[in-house]
Amino acid sequence: GGPAAVGGEGERPTRPTSDLLVPRLDPRDQRQVAIELASGPGKKLVFARTRAFAEQLADLLDDAGIRAESIHGDLNQSRRTRALEKFTSGRVDVMVATDVAARGIHVDDIALVIQADAPDEYKAYLHRSGRTGRAGQEGTVVTLVPPRRPRPTEDLLAPPPPPAPRPSRAPGAPSPAAPPAPQPPPAS
């Protein structure tokens, strides 16, 4: 087993135990791969960037015989709570969520996180991946990558480099941004 991944308020998420990229998928293939991944055993959490895509994926999964619910910021609290209860209890196998809606998901036995839409930044990736591999369990994150992205997804899934060290200066030396000290006029 690898490190447990946790996420939520005040908790530091860690990387999942397995991390897979499915590069440069055509949108039609992206949906098909998401359906195939979601059909496996265990609870799955699927991330979609928009409410419309979350609902569309949940409908596609239902049509494929996979019990799915979607949650997003446009749902009222009681509908969100009901959907989460179905997911937690196992009456629904797949939860399709937007990033904002997923912040309320604290379920220990999510086997797989599927990023149907790749995240925009590493921090979002960490929060998404922190939904699996909790409580010492193994966790897998699969990211489906569209053919053209402004920034390579591989870069987004890597932690940012540490900040560059600031150049040191001798005590009493002027800071590099300070203007030169005025010189007295030459004696005549």
Side-chain angles (χ1 to χ4, degrees):
V6 284
E9 296 306 312
E11 300 172 4
R12 273 196 71 229
T14 58
R15 292 185 69 99
T17 50
S18 300
D19 207 345
L20 307 168
L21 277 180
V22 181
R24 290 177 259 306
L25 281 174
D26 174 89
R28 287 182 306 275
D29 296 334
Q30 193 175 3
R31 288 171 177 79
Q32 190 55 44
V33 169
I35 290 168
E36 287 177 29
L37 289 167
S39 69
K43 289 180 186 160
K44 280 80 55 181
L45 177 58
V46 181
F47 280 95
R49 189 168 286 130
T50 65
R51 171 194 62 77
F53 190 39
E55 289 179 348
Q56 181 185 32
L57 277 173
D59 289 344
L60 284 170
L61 292 167
D62 271 338
D63 292 348
I66 301 162
R67 297 172 305 175
E69 286 277 338
S70 67
I71 60 169
H72 47 76
D74 290 351
L75 288 183
N76 67 35
Q77 192 57 48
S78 70
R79 288 192 48 207
R80 254 193 254 188
T81 302
R82 214 166 32 247
L84 274 170
E85 199 282 321
K86 286 181 186 176
F87 185 56
T88 306
S89 69
R91 291 200 317 263
V92 163
D93 301 312
V94 181
M95 177 65 69
V96 185
T98 58
D99 285 313
V100 172
R103 290 189 185 134
I105 298 176
H106 300 286
V107 179
D108 283 338
D109 56 347
I110 295 174
L112 177 64
V113 168
I114 302 164
Q115 302 192 88
D117 281 323
D120 286 326
E121 59 175 7
Y122 181 67
K123 189 174 171 187
Y125 165 77
L126 265 187
H127 279 284
R128 289 172 170 197
S129 64
R131 304 294 159 205
T132 187
R134 291 180 168 208
Q137 301 292 312
E138 296 268 323
T140 300
V141 176
V142 178
T143 303
L144 308 182
V145 183
R148 288 184 243 6
R149 280 199 44 109
R151 192 167 152 210
T153 300
E154 291 82 356
D155 292 352
L156 294 172
L157 303 187
R166 294 181 166 254
S168 58
R169 56 188 177 89
S175 76
Q183 299 297 317
S188 40

